[in-house]
Amino acid sequence: MVAEAAGVSKMTASRVLRNEGGFSPQTRDRVLAEVERLGYLPNRIAAVFSGDQKSTFIGVSIPDLGNEVFTHVLEGIDRKLSAFGHQTVLGMTQRVAGEEEKWIGTVLSWQPAGLILTGVSHAPRVQQMLEAADLPVVEIWELSATPFDMCVGLDHEASGRAMGRYLVSKGYKHFGYVGTHHDAANAAAARLSGFGEAVKAGEGRLKKQLLLNDVPGFYTGYYGVEQLLSSAPETEVVFFQNDNMAMGAIQFCQAKGISVPGDLGIAGWGELPIASVLPYRLTTVRVNHLRIGQAAAEKLLLRISGDSVDPVTDVGFQLIEGETV
Amino acid sequence: MVAEAAGVSKMTASRVLRNEGGFSPQTRDRVLAEVERLGYLPNRIAAVFSGDQKSTFIGVSIPDLGNEVFTHVLEGIDRKLSAFGHQTVLGMTQRVAGEEEKWIGTVLSWQPAGLILTGVSHAPRVQQMLEAADLPVVEIWELSATPFDMCVGLDHEASGRAMGRYLVSKGYKHFGYVGTHHDAANAAAARLSGFGEAVKAGEGRLKKQLLLNDVPGFYTGYYGVEQLLSSAPETEVVFFQNDNMAMGAIQFCQAKGISVPGDLGIAGWGELPIASVLPYRLTTVRVNHLRIGQAAAEKLLLRISGDSVDPVTDVGFQLIEGETV
DNA sequence: TTGAAAGCGATACCAT
DNA sequence: ATGGTATCGCTTTCAA
């Protein structure tokens, strides 16, 4: 350690650096002066290694950053974590099956203080690794009654059901859904499931469910609704996987002279900022994405500092009764 | 090391784990079997510490994730890095001045293999720390003729100038600009500067430059253009800080019955996906955000593996002559 | 092909 | 208030 060139033992220097007491003010000043002079930076790798501690890293896995909702979640996480001296180690995994498992192995080898994982379904090996690693884990986005450890999210199926019921209550009979195709059971699938259930219970018909092999963006909504209408022109209202897709659909309708909601009702999900510029309010489901991230980070930090934590947080959702249905 | 319960020394096990040769196939199989059985995960912290190596972390600082362009940059970075066994350690710094310096200190203490920093202006202490740390650094977004180490970005001033010239060539005389306020000299300021220069050279008048204290999003564009028009109604065309703001402005015009480009011309910057749903093409500047991230990661990886690297990459830009001016 | 020993930079523990 | 010593898990070096 360079700072003991200041005439003290490395132990004393270490104590000063960590400000844990047990040194005189003079010593302190002498050490800090040398630190400053030499531009000394502590080696946290060595510290973690030494103390058999965990690092201050938090591994955060999200499907991808292209999806705007997850950037908000991530921002919520990182803001909170960095305020408490932790670092986010990113993992964009869900693009390829099996990536999560690989990523978790890597990130665990860095002795992270905790993990935040998107989704509640993981490979069996992942479960094993997590158990063996014995660290705080928060699963986010979807809700699970039996989380691996902790969980922050919302009941996607209920949100779809709520939207279905609402649309039924508006008198619609012929429903459509446009989303994108996902490999596994996931949140969007749960929404569709709840939606379909409510439609059925309301004696409506979910005539057309379009699952496109594309990303859930504006353009996908644009051509998705076009495709849906051409094959099921009797559709009265369409529920979209997210607001981006709904916005694309609205633009399509505008371009084609289809009046919304007169000719076609449109509902989104997620309440993304883009919808705020419409001259009318988009019917959608509000979810506080940032709050999911913050709550997840908070839970993790509490657990790391040894507090007891309520394992499951339901951040809920709110149906926005807009003017597009 | 647990795996030497397989009857070999830890050295042999270590060699097998790193697959560096110097062991028999039988030994190999025996060790790997134990690794599997015990669910052994290597401790990379110890490895880095031991070898006096760098870690595989790459520190990536970006202003914030709310700004869509940086999420694309980040995605480009992380895709490339993770494909080569590196991990992104996130730093959202620019919200507060001085945060970058603090963050760099922290991240350097983890012995990262390299850094990617947004922007080319850094505090003097940051410069010192980077020099002392002696690691590859890529500055992104803005271009610098004299980067600290390496640099990937584009000439923002030139892009503003190009837009200015183009609008002048379309016969406009009264120009406006709407952006957001930033504390330091930055990319958007450079664009405005180039824009103003071109307008002046074209004998136009940049009557109104609106710098709002807000985030550069849809809604900011919406009320920004409203504010600009009320104080400078003679404005014929407005250049916005980004496409999101331009989109907000277009929605405003639509709501108020202002025809675009008949009554007012609108130009954006950055070519964000949202504009793709307009029934006409937005006049804007195309920048390949993803490519900036990828190129930065590539440069870093090349340098890390000891190759010589061209220090500066200009990813350029392309003026999109749309239908909104 | 294998192993024994030193050491990386910090901290915990025990002494002074 | 201060310092000596062992130690963390792994890699490097040297020897067998």
Side-chain angles (χ1 to χ4, degrees):
Chain A
M1 198 188 293
V2 222
E4 57 182 302
V8 299
S9 78
K10 56 182 190 170
M11 261 324 296
T12 306
S14 172
R15 284 194 263 256
V16 171
L17 265 316
R18 285 173 298 144
N19 199 29
E20 57 140 54
F23 48 81
S24 65
Q26 303 92 300
T27 310
R28 201 193 81 103
D29 293 347
R30 210 137 30 89
V31 171
L32 291 183
E34 285 304 299
V35 163
E36 185 61 30
R37 195 174 64 80
L38 299 168
Y40 168 79
L41 276 182
N43 184 336
R44 294 280 285 121
I45 294 273
V48 168
F49 177 54
S50 155
D52 207 17
Q53 314 160 17
K54 302 291 192 178
S55 72
T56 51
F57 293 121
I58 305 290
V60 179
S61 92
I62 50 172
D64 67 292
L65 289 167
N67 197 335
E68 201 175 344
V69 298
F70 292 117
T71 69
H72 293 141
V73 172
L74 182 58
E75 178 147 21
I77 290 172
D78 192 64
R79 273 197 210 163
K80 186 66 75 178
L81 289 183
S82 61
F84 287 86
H86 284 267
Q87 290 79 43
T88 299
V89 177
L90 201 57
M92 283 168 36
T93 63
Q94 238 152 292
R95 281 175 281 119
V96 183
E99 276 299 291
E100 184 183 63
E101 183 177 327
K102 209 177 109 207
W103 176 78
I104 286 185
T106 304
V107 81
L108 283 181
S109 74
W110 292 108
Q111 321 296 122
L115 297 182
I116 296 178
L117 308 176
T118 301
V120 295
S121 52
H122 309 287
R125 279 216 39 155
V126 168
Q127 298 263 354
Q128 282 175 30
M129 290 165 91
L130 294 181
E131 270 158 32
D134 185 37
L135 39 46
V137 176
V138 183
E139 294 165 283
I140 59 170
W141 196 231
E142 299 167 64
L143 223 46
S144 166
T146 56
F148 174 78
D149 180 9
M150 295 173 286
C151 187
V152 177
L154 64 116
D155 186 339
H156 289 262
E157 184 165 9
S159 75
R161 204 179 300 122
M163 180 58 83
R165 284 192 188 137
Y166 175 66
L167 297 183
V168 164
S169 80
K170 300 286 275 186
Y172 289 108
K173 295 293 177 199
H174 296 276
F175 300 80
Y177 175 91
V178 181
T180 59
H181 195 74
H182 293 281
D183 21 19
N186 60 32
R191 288 179 330 242
L192 173 53
S193 155
F195 181 70
E197 193 188 291
V199 164
K200 202 168 169 186
E203 307 195 341
R205 290 194 56 201
L206 182 48
K207 181 76 184 291
K208 189 76 185 177
Q209 307 171 22
L210 207 55
L211 296 180
L212 304 161
N213 282 311
D214 204 338
V215 294
F218 304 111
Y219 191 62
T220 326
Y222 190 94
Y223 78 75
V225 72
E226 176 167 33
Q227 205 170 311
L228 183 135
L229 287 178
S230 78
S231 73
E234 73 280 21
T235 305
E236 299 162 347
V237 60
V238 184
F239 181 35
F240 288 85
Q241 184 175 328
N242 65 24
D243 274 18
N244 282 350
M245 295 185 72
M247 283 298 292
I250 284 174
Q251 296 291 352
F252 172 81
C253 291
Q254 208 162 283
K256 303 297 178 186
I258 299 167
S259 120
V260 175
D263 300 331
L264 185 71
I266 287 183
W269 193 94
E271 202 191 39
L272 297 176
I274 172 64
S276 70
V277 299
L278 285 177
Y280 40 78
R281 196 153 190 193
L282 177 66
T283 296
T284 186
V285 172
R286 174 180 298 165
V287 174
N288 194 334
H289 304 109
L290 205 64
R291 165 133 176 66
I292 291 180
Q294 287 176 323
E298 271 165 21
K299 260 187 169 33
L300 209 52
L301 291 167
L302 280 172
R303 265 289 298 280
I304 288 169
S305 53
D307 296 316
S308 76
V309 182
D310 188 8
V312 179
T313 296
D314 183 349
V315 301
F317 61 87
Q318 189 189 348
L319 187 72
I320 303 295
E321 306 188 356
E323 300 150 63
T324 56
V325 300
Chain B
M1 198 187 292
V2 221
E4 57 181 304
V8 298
S9 77
K10 58 182 188 170
M11 260 326 295
T12 306
S14 172
R15 284 193 262 257
V16 171
L17 264 316
R18 285 173 299 144
N19 200 30
E20 59 140 54
F23 47 80
S24 67
Q26 302 93 299
T27 309
R28 201 192 81 102
D29 293 345
R30 210 136 32 87
V31 171
L32 291 184
E34 284 305 299
V35 164
E36 185 61 29
R37 194 174 66 79
L38 300 169
Y40 168 78
L41 276 182
N43 184 336
R44 296 280 285 121
I45 293 274
V48 168
F49 176 55
S50 156
D52 206 19
Q53 314 160 18
K54 302 290 190 180
S55 71
T56 51
F57 292 121
I58 305 290
V60 178
S61 91
I62 50 173
D64 67 292
L65 289 168
N67 196 334
E68 201 176 346
V69 299
F70 292 117
T71 69
H72 293 140
V73 171
L74 182 58
E75 177 147 21
I77 290 172
D78 192 65
R79 272 196 212 164
K80 186 65 75 177
L81 288 183
S82 62
F84 287 87
H86 284 268
Q87 291 79 43
T88 300
V89 177
L90 201 57
M92 283 169 35
T93 63
Q94 238 153 291
R95 282 174 281 118
V96 184
E99 276 299 290
E100 184 183 62
E101 182 178 328
K102 209 178 108 207
W103 176 78
I104 287 185
T106 304
V107 81
L108 282 180
S109 75
W110 292 109
Q111 319 297 116
L115 296 182
I116 296 178
L117 307 176
T118 302
V120 295
S121 52
H122 310 286
R125 278 216 40 154
V126 169
Q127 298 261 355
Q128 282 175 31
M129 291 164 90
L130 294 181
E131 271 157 29
D134 185 37
L135 39 47
V137 176
V138 183
E139 293 163 284
I140 59 171
W141 198 229
E142 298 168 64
L143 223 47
S144 166
T146 57
F148 174 78
D149 180 9
M150 296 172 286
C151 187
V152 177
L154 64 116
D155 187 339
H156 289 261
E157 185 165 10
S159 75
R161 204 181 298 121
M163 180 58 82
R165 284 192 187 137
Y166 175 66
L167 298 184
V168 164
S169 80
K170 300 285 276 189
Y172 289 108
K173 295 293 177 200
H174 296 275
F175 299 80
Y177 175 90
V178 180
T180 58
H181 196 73
H182 293 281
D183 22 18
N186 59 30
R191 295 191 310 253
L192 173 53
S193 155
F195 181 70
E197 193 188 291
V199 165
K200 203 168 169 185
E203 308 196 339
R205 290 192 55 200
L206 181 49
K207 181 76 184 293
K208 188 76 186 177
Q209 307 172 21
L210 207 54
L211 296 180
L212 305 161
N213 283 311
D214 205 338
V215 295
F218 304 111
Y219 192 61
T220 327
Y222 190 94
Y223 79 77
V225 72
E226 176 168 35
Q227 203 170 313
L228 183 134
L229 287 178
S230 77
S231 73
E234 73 279 21
T235 305
E236 299 161 348
V237 60
V238 183
F239 181 33
F240 287 84
Q241 183 174 329
N242 66 24
D243 275 18
N244 283 349
M245 295 185 73
M247 284 297 293
I250 284 175
Q251 296 291 352
F252 172 81
C253 292
Q254 208 163 284
K256 303 297 177 186
I258 299 167
S259 119
V260 176
D263 301 330
L264 185 71
I266 286 182
W269 193 94
E271 203 190 37
L272 297 176
I274 171 64
S276 70
V277 298
L278 285 176
Y280 39 79
R281 198 155 188 192
L282 177 66
T283 296
T284 186
V285 173
R286 174 180 300 166
V287 174
N288 194 334
H289 304 110
L290 204 66
R291 167 137 173 62
I292 291 180
Q294 287 177 321
E298 270 165 22
K299 261 189 170 31
L300 209 52
L301 291 167
L302 280 172
R303 265 288 299 281
I304 289 170
S305 53
D307 296 316
S308 75
V309 182
D310 188 8
V312 179
T313 296
D314 183 351
V315 300
F317 60 87
Q318 189 189 347
L319 188 73
I320 304 295
E321 308 187 354
E323 299 150 63
T324 56
V325 300

